[in-house]
Amino acid sequence: MLGVLRRKVACKANAASALEQGIRVVASRAFSSSGKEMTVRDALNSALDEEMSADPKVFIMGEEVGEYQGAYKISKGLLDKYGPERVVDTPITEAGFAGIGVGAAYYGLRPVIEFMTFNFSMQAIDHIINSAAKSNYMSAGQISVPIVFRGPNGAAAGVGAQHSQCYAAWYGSCPGLKVLAPYSSEDARGLLKAAIRDPDPVVFLENELLYGESFPVSAEVLDSSFCLPIGKAKIEREGKDVTITAFSKMVGYALQAAEILAKDGISAEVINLRSIRPLDRSTINASVRKTNRLVTVEEGFPQHGVGAEICASVLEDSFEYLDAAVERIAGADVPMPYAANLERMAVPQVDDIVRAAKRACYRSSSLAATA
Amino acid sequence: MAQLTQRAATFQRTLSAAAVSSTRCLSTASTSPITVETSLPFTGHKIDPPSRSVETTPQELLSFFRDMALMRRMEIAADSLYKAKLIRGFCHLYDGQEAVAVGMEAAITRKDCIITAYRDHCIFLGRGGTLLESFSELMGRKDGCSKGKGGSMHFYKKEGGFYGGHGIVGAQVPLGCGLAFAQKYSKDENVTFAMYGDGAANQGQLFEALNMAALWDLPAILVCENNHYGMGTAEWRAAKSPAYYKRGDYVPGLKVDGMDALAVKQACKFAKSMPSRMDQLFSKWTPTGIMDTLCLILEAPIVRVMRLVVSD
């Protein structure tokens, strides 16, 4: 099933219009009011379109965002609609254009800076942290920086060590930044709109493998005023035996794991974090106080990861509610290998999450710590 | 008694003479234009430099003196406070470079933007900051311009067009080009002066930003204050080419005497007028891109001297 999923999300939609391909009416749903589905790509595209339409100060800047229609087609059609002053193709100079974006935000514009992947954001990280994140505080509120840095984060498929790192933990540790990680199309639309409207710098971590995936969207989500709150997690699936926290692509894996666990009589509650910073500690802790067991899932490196922070938070706030040690599932502590079989082993799989949940519920016979 | 009266009378005469001469002093605050030649010529790179004759007024010259003397005294006082450990961390002083800040202010308005690195105390004053805000910030008090949260390197005055105050060498140049981008985007008729030192002139992000500024015709003027040292390292040990005004290659440059406030004023006026000069210049030059950008690099070499007297 996972193999099918991988093949489906690997192909990029570029032939027909993205909107035509994206919205498919699912006629078989008897009771839903709209029954529409939308790919994450279209969700992001429509969010950008609507926010640019609503506020002339919003502009997009990055490599290939204009004439190429976006490296992953996220900004497709926007150059034609808004013109080259508002959809700006840049040379391959991340430090330069990230700095230019931050400077424009100082002046009062609302830039959306695209990094082709967040691996390249490291070239610009000084501007993200020192020029953007810290300015509001250092200037005692004089300089606000309403900028969004967005792009794909984490592992793709076969792109190797330098193109596969997850930056959620790095950016999530920095005061002055907001860090968001959408999973579904609803998340993508609502959180991107919230990010663009936010007066502070937002790091928006997408996932390349999710761009082509379709999710149901309600009429409320499709409305141009739709917005999700920053700092609130979503309980994707309610449960009572173990809490599984995840973000981005791992939410899908966690949901699949929950299905498998249900067959074994374990009712898992899956929390889609949505917001890495601020972290929704109250939702996480309330869930752990209910289930008494916690599994954290992330794709990134284990040390100093998002799971480590969640674990610490739960220990600080809900220690006496824990009936088992917290289980951390993360990527392998190794630069991402290229070979497909090694890559599969370096990234968490559904089985890993199932095993961890069983360990937390004392259902596992093996005592060895596996990734 | 007679002696006393005589002395009183002399004193009175002296006073009235002083009153007369003081009215004569007041006349030096007149606004009648005078023309002064800059002490050194300008040197242009891919551009014809402006004239050495600068228009000014006695009032302006007096304000130059007052402002530069104030800046000098502020920096010397900051130096003493730093040595007394009342200012903590870093304290980068601008004494010796006052002519650049003052000359620039004379040529521009508060709607033009200035951004600089961490040697920002005097630029802040020039943009309308007060001594109280400045010293309070240096000493970490809540009346400081950044409420004590920024420190020496993070002075800002947004309503005066001053965007800081940046601690990372070179970062302010892309930020300044971003301000220029926003000015062009908003169709404001103003420009941005992005200031940096000879140390920052070797930064890669400067060239990245300059490339984009030239490509997109942004109203950005890069001002290199060359005091011949990058932190503790002398220029000759850090830069293969110390001709910073030429480093822009396809971007025109101008070398200006940084010790001469009037020369700096002339250069900044010239730089600011560049957008409106574009049409004239295009008609003169063939379109081979010699002068096809709004950007300009101003290099202002500063002589490090330990004199306390402000040179005219």
Side-chain angles (χ1 to χ4, degrees):
Chain A
M1 187 193 167
L2 195 58
V4 170
L5 188 73
R6 274 249 168 86
R7 276 197 292 279
K8 185 176 139 197
V9 300
C11 70
K12 296 182 173 66
N14 52 19
S17 141
L19 218 54
E20 284 161 14
Q21 272 195 332
I23 299 181
R24 290 183 289 116
V25 177
V26 180
S28 58
R29 300 230 182 128
F31 297 109
S32 72
S33 51
S34 79
K36 280 208 170 80
E37 286 208 344
M38 194 183 220
T39 60
V40 171
R41 178 178 288 112
D42 293 329
L44 294 167
N45 183 277
S46 60
L48 286 169
D49 190 353
E50 286 160 22
E51 293 305 303
M52 287 180 79
S53 170
D55 186 350
K57 292 202 167 100
V58 178
F59 70 94
I60 298 178
M61 184 180 265
E63 294 156 16
E64 314 296 1
V65 293
E67 288 189 12
Y68 197 81
Q69 307 297 322
Y72 301 97
K73 309 302 177 211
I74 307 299
S75 51
K76 186 165 183 181
L78 297 178
L79 175 66
D80 285 339
K81 193 166 175 187
Y82 297 103
E85 286 99 33
R86 295 187 69 191
V87 182
V88 184
D89 279 324
T90 64
I92 310 172
T93 49
E94 277 79 6
F97 69 74
I100 285 179
V102 176
Y106 283 0
Y107 197 76
L109 298 186
R110 306 189 85 93
V112 178
I113 303 296
E114 179 175 303
F115 291 118
M116 200 176 286
T117 75
F118 265 90
N119 299 282
F120 313 131
S121 75
M122 289 200 288
Q123 308 233 297
I125 201 165
D126 176 60
H127 282 296
I128 299 172
I129 309 294
N130 282 321
S131 304
K134 297 179 182 171
S135 284
N136 190 41
Y137 187 88
M138 289 193 301
S139 70
Q142 268 187 81
I143 309 279
S144 86
V145 192
I147 193 169
V148 176
F149 298 102
R150 52 159 292 272
N153 175 58
V159 290
Q162 294 179 341
H163 291 75
S164 303
Q165 191 164 332
C166 174
Y167 290 86
W170 281 34
Y171 291 121
S173 71
C174 188
L177 278 185
K178 291 177 181 158
V179 181
L180 301 176
Y183 161 62
S184 63
S185 301
E186 175 184 330
D187 291 354
R189 264 184 68 79
L191 293 177
L192 186 54
K193 280 162 162 298
I196 293 172
R197 295 178 200 178
D198 199 277
D200 294 322
V202 180
V203 168
F204 194 81
L205 303 171
E206 301 161 5
N207 187 292
E208 190 202 319
L209 299 176
L210 283 177
Y211 284 153
E213 229 181 282
S214 283
F215 294 87
V217 281
S218 66
E220 186 202 352
V221 171
L222 290 172
D223 188 73
S224 64
S225 64
F226 177 66
C227 202
L228 283 173
I230 291 179
K232 269 311 290 139
K234 180 184 180 197
I235 298 184
E236 293 282 349
R237 181 189 172 118
E238 294 218 358
K240 55 181 181 51
D241 293 330
V242 60
T243 299
I244 305 177
T245 64
F247 62 94
S248 189
K249 187 150 150 289
M250 291 292 125
V251 176
Y253 284 26
L255 288 169
Q256 288 174 52
E259 278 293 323
I260 295 171
L261 288 164
K263 296 190 180 74
D264 282 336
I266 296 177
S267 155
E269 177 150 292
V270 176
I271 298 182
N272 172 4
L273 293 176
R274 282 182 167 175
S275 179
I276 306 295
R277 188 179 177 99
L279 195 59
D280 190 353
R281 295 169 203 276
S282 54
T283 298
I284 297 168
N285 276 285
S287 174
V288 171
R289 288 179 183 213
K290 183 174 73 167
T291 65
N292 309 120
R293 294 160 205 279
L294 176 62
V295 175
T296 68
V297 185
E298 68 197 291
E299 211 178 45
F301 299 134
Q303 189 165 341
H304 309 299
V306 175
E309 175 59 33
I310 293 174
C311 183
S313 174
V314 165
L315 288 178
E316 283 163 7
D317 291 342
S318 311
F319 178 68
E320 57 274 16
Y321 291 84
L322 282 170
D323 284 347
V326 175
E327 295 283 336
R328 262 194 307 179
I329 296 294
D333 194 43
V334 74
M336 183 67 67
Y338 165 68
N341 58 337
L342 294 179
E343 189 182 54
R344 206 176 312 121
M345 280 163 37
V347 175
Q349 304 299 329
V350 177
D351 285 341
D352 298 318
I353 304 174
V354 170
R355 268 202 304 276
K358 286 184 174 174
R359 277 199 304 272
C361 296
Y362 298 124
R363 305 281 195 90
S364 174
S365 54
S366 165
L367 289 171
T370 46
Chain B
M1 190 64 183
Q3 216 180 18
L4 211 61
T5 326
Q6 210 179 23
R7 265 162 139 200
T10 322
F11 186 52
Q12 259 187 341
R13 271 200 300 276
T14 320
L15 267 179
S16 50
V20 168
S21 61
S22 73
T23 51
R24 230 181 283 135
C25 283
L26 280 170
S27 72
T28 64
S30 83
T31 50
S32 49
I34 56 177
T35 308
V36 181
E37 280 268 299
T38 64
S39 38
L40 293 178
F42 298 104
T43 318
H45 165 73
K46 296 196 172 160
I47 196 168
D48 285 334
S51 146
R52 281 175 73 174
S53 302
V54 187
E55 277 202 10
T56 182
T57 67
Q59 184 185 55
E60 182 174 69
L61 289 175
L62 209 61
S63 80
F64 277 10
F65 176 78
R66 186 192 172 278
D67 291 342
M68 289 201 283
L70 188 73
M71 289 174 180
R72 177 64 63 99
R73 297 299 289 268
M74 176 179 77
E75 296 296 76
I76 304 284
D79 184 41
S80 306
L81 289 171
Y82 185 74
K83 288 175 174 141
K85 297 198 197 302
L86 287 162
I87 295 176
R88 299 165 54 239
F90 295 115
C91 189
H92 302 94
L93 300 175
Y94 202 73
D95 51 317
Q97 300 180 206
E98 303 88 346
V100 179
V102 164
M104 187 184 293
E105 284 298 333
I108 65 177
T109 71
R110 293 274 166 83
K111 291 219 182 306
D112 296 311
C113 302
I114 298 182
I115 194 168
T116 188
Y118 41 73
R119 207 173 295 278
D120 57 350
H121 309 160
C122 300
I123 312 281
F124 171 72
L125 277 194
R127 292 265 91 183
T130 65
L131 284 179
L132 178 71
E133 285 176 315
S134 175
F135 281 113
S136 302
E137 187 59 38
L138 289 171
M139 292 192 276
R141 311 295 189 172
K142 69 178 192 223
D143 289 321
C145 51
S146 301
K147 304 208 172 103
K149 295 185 182 180
S152 166
M153 299 187 283
H154 305 295
F155 284 23
Y156 301 83
K157 197 152 199 77
K158 191 171 174 182
E159 68 268 19
F162 179 48
Y163 288 84
H166 294 271
I168 307 294
V169 171
Q172 74 277 16
V173 177
L175 295 173
C177 293
L179 291 170
F181 178 94
Q183 285 173 319
K184 186 175 180 188
Y185 187 104
S186 313
K187 298 185 173 33
D188 295 344
E189 296 282 305
N190 305 303
V191 300
T192 295
F193 287 83
M195 304 173 76
Y196 61 101
D198 51 299
N202 301 312
Q203 278 260 322
Q205 57 185 320
L206 188 152
F207 294 96
E208 291 189 16
L210 189 64
N211 174 48
M212 283 183 270
L215 201 59
W216 301 332
D217 279 335
L218 303 183
I221 296 139
L222 275 58
V223 181
C224 176
E225 296 180 277
N226 181 8
N227 58 19
H228 311 289
Y229 278 84
M231 293 198 298
T233 300
E235 174 185 58
W236 63 271
R237 294 179 62 227
K240 183 73 178 170
S241 160
Y244 301 104
Y245 72 110
K246 288 187 183 170
R247 290 269 205 98
D249 182 21
Y250 41 80
V251 173
L254 198 62
K255 188 164 167 175
V256 181
D257 178 10
M259 302 305 289
D260 182 347
L262 289 169
V264 174
K265 174 190 167 186
Q266 184 82 320
C268 292
K269 260 178 86 172
F270 177 74
K272 195 179 160 176
S273 72
M274 272 175 64
S276 59
R277 289 159 59 87
M278 286 304 289
D279 297 332
Q280 304 170 5
L281 288 159
F282 267 128
S283 66
K284 273 188 184 174
W285 296 97
T286 55
T288 52
I290 288 179
M291 174 56 214
D292 61 346
T293 171
L294 302 182
C295 308
L296 185 70
I297 296 184
L298 287 180
E299 182 190 335
I302 291 145
V303 176
R304 286 180 82 85
V305 289
M306 297 300 286
R307 284 181 283 153
L308 286 179
V309 175
V310 173
S311 54
D312 185 42

